[in-house]
Amino acid sequence: MVRRVVLGSVLAWWCARAMAALPDIPDLPWQERSDWINVRTDVTPAAVGDGQADDTAAIQAALDLGRQSKTVYLPPGTYRLTKTLVFQGPAVGCLVVGHGRQTRLVWDGPQGGRMFWSNGVAYSRYVGLSWDGQGKAAVGFDHAAQDRFETEVRHEHEAFRNFTGYGIRVGHQQKIASAEILYRNCLFENCGTALAFLTFNDYDNTIDGCEFRRCGTGVLDNKGNFYARHCHFEASRQADFVVGSEHGSSIRRCTSVGSRRFVEETGTIAPLTIQDCHVAGWTDPDGAIHLNGSPVLLFDCTFTGPPSASPPVRLANPAQKLLLSNNRPATVEALVQATPAAKLYTIPPGRLGGVAGPAEQRFLRDAVPVPGRVFDAVCDFGAKGDARTDDTAAIQATIDAARQAGRGAIAYLPTGRYVVSKSLRVTGRDYTLGGSGFRCGLVWRGEAGRPIVEVADVQNVTLANLAVGNHDLGPMNHGDDLHVASPSGAPCRLILDEVYGFGMYQKAPDTHGLHFDRLAPGSLVHAVHVQGNLRITGSDRAAFLFRTSYEGTVTIEGPAASHDGLVGFMTRLATQSKPTLRVRDNRSVVMSDFYNEQSDQHLVFEGAPGQPEGFVTIQGPKMHMFTQEPVFDIRNYAGRIYYGQSQFYVEPKQPRFVSKGTRPARLVLAGHFWYDTKPRLELGPEIRLTMLANRDVADLGIDPDAMQSIAAALDDLRRLGQLDHQLTGPNP
């Protein structure tokens, strides 16, 4: 009887859905830029885009044209392809851009072909392209690098339809990895596997705001790792997620309707977090989630419309360690099919809850803003971008023109290196200062110690696709790359998207970087993608959301009068940093997916008498260092430190946890996989240590106060989720 009712309700849902218009990727009405290569006008033969002519040669010619850093532009149209397009590296800072649903690429080549091969193209973007395999192509987009490490790549506002194998495939026969790829607002429909990571080193994949419809598998991870947020799945024939991660992964604020399974875990060594997801009408009577033995944190999740009386979570590995909090069904017996040897830990609910809505909720945006009027620094104001001419006046005039126009205008810098001798001033509201990408850089030749760009009292201003003080531009004697302040005392609102500062591989945490200095209460910084050293001074009543941030050192400092604001990080990568994070003055921070590799020093927490207690909540997919420096260096920090769901990976064999001081702190280590490692504890009596749900390390110090501390840490993650949801949540 239960099964009939559930299947009937799912069928009714499908009928209703079939009658409703499903969202597509957005239309992107770009104004063409001066440095774009137009496939219809700038190459021979020229593309036609009528769906009849073979446009393969034209688009390939555009990909091959000119310098390594380029923008290839596909105006609205339907482009018929008969051979694989190859973007040949090594190359950096490229963009392939179309008009979203108005730019279609359709396959008319051999059965089993692939449409696009990226071979070593790093720091690049693919935006506004609709790919259709027509049921013939096996692969839509292939990241299979032979010549260069592909890192910090973005797929945005793209659709992948009707591929018999993979919509996007990463790692097939690769020689060099493709990692740190962001998939944002993409649609996958009717593919064998929508998105696949197939081998080692294809790490740090972020899947944000995407939709998966009627695919065999939504996300397949075989020895990579990923972070999925705000994604919607419908009718996956195998599973929404098949997780065989090498390092920790996370699934947050996702929804699913009518799939066979939500999560099928095949690996055993990588911790997994599933937060605030709503799953309905799965068809596998054995459960919606199958776990295979990695430590798992499951909280704020809801399961409705089951196909049988079996609980939705099934433990396939008898050694499973599972942390649970605030799920529905509420009782462990109704939620989990446990094995006798499994160890389950129930965490109190906390003060906050999840934000995900019904399972039918979708997040794909079918309308997004694009810049309006374009003010071109080269064409309109005479900038040269030749790394010799002083372009300060021309760039400032471009910024001022966009500020005066407002209404989404853009001060645009074509690809080049622009010499700046005086700090550029960004103020005002409702405009963008943007470049062409990673190879569009500002080079300082002014007074020592001054910032390259000063941002002050801005409202709805964006800085995008620009390198500011990045070390690739050569040595410079400036101060901050970017200095952000609100001297008027009014709240500011700033968006940063692909802003590359100084810090990658430099081990110089106090040199250059992006500095947020005493921002006014109520200020908001929304960093979609940034690179380099980050310093937050004061600003304890402001909100910071770093969605994806890479490299350098994060420093949070300045005495806090309150903890009303939020400093939050989601995808965060640090390699070869010293240290990766400094929390001073008993400040607070929340980081949901902090990946550390090859660093000399990891986390430093500092406090002083008289400062209010702080809180640190960090989930880390991987912790790996090459030195015997402390992994945790606690210096008189008072409050709560939660570190969870990480994989301690081989080096060092005994990661050190060190404290010094007299102020009391609670340290919680939860849900880790200790890969051929054991913790070395050098903690003073001021530290109350709790360890629980760790693979191969015994529980320690579990008491009611510890469980409440974990509940408070989950509330921190919920606050981070609330801000994420507020800024980039459901499609309105």
Side-chain angles (χ1 to χ4, degrees):
M1 178 64 73
V2 172
R3 184 177 178 85
R4 273 199 208 115
V5 170
V6 170
L7 291 180
S9 65
V10 172
L11 179 61
W13 180 87
W14 275 112
C15 292
R17 183 59 58 196
M19 297 174 63
L22 296 177
D24 201 345
I25 60 172
D27 178 26
L28 304 173
W30 303 111
Q31 180 178 331
E32 187 173 349
R33 311 288 167 81
S34 62
D35 56 342
W36 288 7
I37 301 169
N38 189 320
V39 299
R40 293 195 181 183
T41 60
D42 296 332
V43 295
T44 303
V48 179
D50 64 355
Q52 302 298 318
D54 187 345
D55 288 323
T56 310
I59 299 174
Q60 187 62 60
L63 293 171
D64 293 341
L65 186 66
R67 56 188 179 271
Q68 289 187 350
S69 301
K70 69 191 78 174
T71 295
V72 175
Y73 169 53
L74 285 74
T78 299
Y79 299 88
R80 177 172 163 261
L81 304 180
T82 58
K83 295 180 181 178
T84 302
L85 297 172
V86 182
F87 208 173
Q88 182 64 50
V92 296
C94 298
L95 167 64
V96 181
V97 61
H99 283 249
R101 60 176 176 264
Q102 303 297 333
T103 298
R104 298 180 62 240
L105 298 100
V106 299
W107 182 252
D108 198 20
Q111 190 78 29
R114 61 177 172 176
M115 292 186 75
F116 195 99
W117 174 24
S118 173
N119 182 14
V121 183
Y123 302 103
S124 297
R125 295 172 289 147
Y126 303 89
V127 179
L129 304 166
S130 183
W131 307 83
D132 192 338
Q134 303 269 75
K136 293 177 63 181
V139 179
F141 198 106
D142 223 5
H143 283 283
Q146 308 293 306
D147 301 308
R148 184 201 162 93
F149 175 43
E150 291 188 338
T151 183
E152 296 191 48
V153 176
R154 176 184 293 197
H155 289 274
E156 188 168 29
H157 310 315
E158 288 186 282
F160 297 86
R161 294 182 170 94
N162 306 315
F163 292 98
T164 60
Y166 304 88
I168 299 179
R169 180 174 65 178
V170 182
H172 176 67
Q173 296 181 347
Q174 72 178 27
K175 291 184 179 178
I176 307 173
S178 300
E180 291 82 50
I181 302 181
L182 169 61
Y183 306 88
R184 191 166 187 240
N185 203 55
C186 291
L187 170 63
F188 300 86
E189 193 167 22
N190 194 30
C191 298
T193 295
L195 176 57
F197 316 116
L198 297 182
T199 192
F200 298 102
N201 293 320
D202 296 325
Y203 300 147
D204 289 304
N205 299 284
T206 300
I207 311 161
D208 195 347
C210 296
E211 186 153 324
F212 301 78
R213 301 178 192 149
R214 302 184 306 281
C215 296
T217 298
V219 177
L220 169 63
D221 179 25
N222 180 42
K223 304 187 186 306
N225 82 301
F226 69 91
Y227 325 113
R229 305 188 286 261
H230 281 131
C231 292
H232 178 70
F233 297 82
E234 295 179 0
S236 300
R237 295 183 296 278
Q238 176 64 30
D240 299 331
F241 296 94
V242 175
V243 183
S245 300
E246 177 70 8
H247 306 303
S249 292
S250 64
I251 302 167
R252 306 180 198 270
R253 295 173 292 285
C254 292
T255 57
S256 172
V257 174
S259 294
R260 177 172 174 263
R261 290 178 184 167
F262 183 53
V263 175
E264 180 178 319
E265 188 185 42
T266 60
T268 60
I269 63 173
L272 175 65
T273 296
I274 306 174
Q275 175 187 354
D276 198 5
C277 297
H278 193 158
V279 183
W282 65 96
T283 63
D284 183 356
D286 287 336
I289 294 178
H290 285 208
L291 301 179
N292 197 37
S294 300
V296 173
L297 169 62
L298 179 73
F299 69 107
D300 294 346
C301 292
T302 300
F303 302 89
T304 56
S308 71
S310 296
V313 180
R314 181 171 182 262
L315 307 187
N317 190 312
Q320 184 71 53
K321 294 193 174 183
L322 177 61
L323 289 150
L324 301 166
S325 185
N326 195 41
N327 298 295
R328 300 290 182 274
T331 66
V332 172
E333 294 76 15
L335 180 69
V336 181
Q337 306 174 51
T339 61
K343 199 157 186 181
L344 278 56
Y345 304 79
T346 300
I347 310 302
R351 296 181 298 104
L352 304 176
V355 292
E360 296 81 9
Q361 188 174 80
R362 59 184 73 247
F363 309 96
L364 186 75
R365 295 186 178 272
D366 53 10
V368 296
V370 299
R373 185 177 177 185
V374 176
F375 296 90
D376 189 301
V378 173
C379 297
D380 298 333
F381 295 94
K384 301 300 182 184
D386 58 7
R388 298 186 301 275
T389 305
D390 189 340
D391 287 323
T392 308
I395 297 174
Q396 188 64 60
T398 310
I399 295 169
D400 293 344
R403 175 178 53 79
Q404 291 167 11
R407 303 183 66 179
I410 181 171
Y412 180 68
L413 279 62
T415 300
R417 295 192 175 189
Y418 297 85
V419 170
V420 175
S421 60
K422 185 178 179 181
S423 298
L424 298 172
R425 182 82 170 167
V426 177
T427 62
R429 64 187 306 130
D430 300 328
Y431 69 98
T432 294
L433 167 59
S436 65
F438 186 75
R439 286 301 192 202
C440 182
L442 302 178
V443 181
W444 182 254
R445 294 292 181 264
E447 178 186 347
R450 296 292 302 161
I452 296 180
V453 180
E454 291 184 314
V455 179
D457 293 324
V458 295
Q459 281 293 321
N460 300 319
V461 168
T462 298
L463 272 65
N465 307 311
L466 195 63
V468 184
N470 183 280
H471 73 274
D472 281 1
L473 301 172
M476 291 175 267
N477 65 351
H478 62 286
D480 298 326
D481 299 326
L482 191 71
H483 184 267
V484 183
S486 46
S488 72
C492 67
R493 186 181 179 106
L494 174 67
I495 299 171
L496 302 172
D497 195 358
E498 300 212 10
V499 176
Y500 301 91
F502 178 91
M504 183 176 184
Y505 305 155
Q506 298 306 299
K507 302 180 185 179
D510 297 311
T511 302
H512 308 320
L514 281 57
H515 186 190
F516 308 93
D517 191 5
R518 296 183 295 275
L519 297 190
S523 295
L524 172 64
V525 174
H526 183 194
V528 179
H529 175 194
V530 294
Q531 184 196 96
N533 291 336
L534 302 171
R535 181 185 295 271
I536 299 171
T537 302
S539 311
D540 57 295
R541 290 188 173 93
F544 298 84
L545 179 64
F546 294 90
R547 303 187 63 78
T548 54
S549 61
Y550 300 114
E551 307 297 1
T553 296
V554 175
T555 301
I556 304 166
E557 62 186 0
S562 75
H563 293 292
D564 295 340
L566 176 67
V567 178
F569 290 77
M570 292 191 289
T571 302
R572 171 73 191 162
L573 168 73
T575 58
Q576 301 184 40
S577 300
K578 187 178 182 181
T580 64
L581 170 68
R582 299 184 295 190
V583 180
R584 294 172 166 165
D585 301 306
N586 245 61
R587 296 297 301 273
S588 300
V589 65
V590 184
M591 310 178 85
S592 66
D593 297 287
F594 186 9
Y595 184 109
N596 170 59
E597 183 175 86
Q598 302 178 33
S599 293
D600 287 359
Q601 188 180 19
H602 195 18
L603 308 173
V604 179
F605 307 105
E606 300 175 333
Q611 294 174 340
E613 288 191 347
F615 57 85
V616 172
T617 297
I618 299 174
Q619 291 182 301
K622 181 180 181 181
M623 203 305 298
H624 171 266
M625 290 169 52
F626 277 153
T627 73
Q628 286 297 322
E629 291 279 351
V631 171
F632 273 53
D633 191 351
I634 305 171
R635 307 172 184 173
N636 228 19
Y637 187 91
R640 166 178 47 82
I641 302 173
Y642 175 93
Y643 190 67
Q645 290 67 58
S646 185
Q647 181 195 76
F648 286 82
Y649 188 79
V650 182
E651 296 174 292
K653 295 284 188 181
Q654 292 185 310
R656 298 172 60 213
F657 295 79
V658 176
S659 74
K660 182 178 180 180
T662 58
R663 305 192 74 199
R666 165 75 73 175
L667 172 61
V668 178
L669 303 176
H672 299 289
F673 189 96
W674 299 83
Y675 194 120
D676 197 24
T677 60
K678 296 291 182 184
R680 180 176 164 185
L681 303 175
E682 304 173 31
L683 302 172
E686 77 282 2
I687 303 297
R688 294 171 293 167
L689 175 64
T690 296
M691 303 184 73
L692 79 167
N694 296 284
R695 276 287 300 271
D696 303 324
V697 172
D699 290 347
L700 175 70
I702 301 177
D703 55 36
D705 181 63
M707 302 304 272
Q708 289 297 332
S709 293
I710 299 172
L714 298 188
D715 274 345
D716 295 342
L717 293 170
R718 292 175 179 120
R719 290 182 66 209
L720 182 61
Q722 287 174 350
L723 184 57
D724 175 30
H725 199 70
Q726 171 191 332
L727 295 176
T728 60
N731 190 355

